[in-house]
Amino acid sequence: MAVRISPSILSADFANLEAELGRISTADWAHVDVMDNHFVPNLTIGLPVVERLVQVSPVPVDVHLMIEQPDRWAPAFAEAGAASVTFHAEAVQAPVRLARELRRLGARAGVALRPATPFEPYVDLLAEVDMVLVMTVEPGFGGQPFLDGTLAKIRRVRAAVGAAGLDVWVQVDGGISAQTIERAADAGADTFVAGSAVYGAQDAAGRIAELRALAAAAHRHV
């Protein structure tokens, strides 16, 4: 099982985002959180900034939309060059139609679930998406502690992906650090969003390598 590390720029210095993206050039993705202060109680960046980040990022951009009306807004992020666009199951109106539109525009399509949102109603959506994002904290703010109660959901998602024989990534976002990544990997996650764990380190590249090694070791023990 491949390991992918996607540092979240939510923990970066917003006054120097191009340089901050350069710090994570050894990562697999750059995770960009878009929040509208409606779906979640926080406001971050919008489409024009994301479009510019795509142009300067040394790695593909993974956009996580924590917004209302993703059916209306998500395609524009794919058109702006995001390599992956994830919308929330709790906010989307027509998930199949939106996932197909994102793929048509050349982006990977992801569906995200809040910690309390059950996965089972979305099993039939697996064939339409490229990634399931299991939130391991309540969405909205960085730096929150990892919720161990989400591990069972990660296992259920991994089991469903395996049973369907699909190449769907299982991403986790929230509280991922050197202390928690092994538990998430052992449960079946393969794509890891880490914000403060990476950007809070003096050597971001070293921390990315450490996280990747810890997750890979956990996979070998599964």
Side-chain angles (χ1 to χ4, degrees), residues 44-110:
T44 55
I45 60 178
L47 181 62
V49 175
V50 172
E51 188 170 20
R52 186 71 182 109
L53 292 177
V54 167
Q55 294 169 357
V56 301
S57 177
V59 293
V61 170
D62 167 29
V63 173
H64 177 193
L65 298 177
M66 288 175 264
I67 63 173
E68 294 182 350
Q69 302 184 50
D71 304 77
R72 176 182 179 184
W73 298 111
F77 288 88
E79 291 173 334
S84 177
V85 179
T86 298
F87 54 86
H88 265 266
E90 304 88 355
V92 70
Q93 297 297 312
V96 172
R97 182 174 64 195
L98 179 55
R100 290 180 178 179
E101 178 65 4
L102 292 172
R103 284 173 154 184
R104 186 188 70 79
L105 292 168
R108 295 177 60 86

Side-chain angles (χ1 to χ4, degrees), residues 115-158:
T117 300
F119 165 65
E120 286 69 24
Y122 303 97
V123 169
D124 291 341
L125 192 60
L126 282 178
E128 302 288 347
V129 298
D130 302 290
M131 184 169 71
V132 176
L133 166 52
V134 178
M135 290 299 300
T136 44
V137 299
E138 287 295 336
F141 294 90
Q144 299 181 65
F146 181 88
L147 296 174
D148 281 288
T150 59
L151 292 171
K153 187 196 296 188
I154 297 168
R155 291 189 180 95
R156 292 195 298 273
V157 175
R158 172 54 62 194

Side-chain angles (χ1 to χ4, degrees), residues 166-197:
L166 296 169
D167 182 21
V168 175
W169 298 355
V170 181
Q171 186 178 60
V172 287
D173 180 0
I176 299 299
S177 67
Q179 289 70 47
T180 61
I181 193 168
E182 291 173 289
R183 299 203 295 278
D186 181 72
D190 54 28
T191 306
F192 305 88
V193 177
S196 54

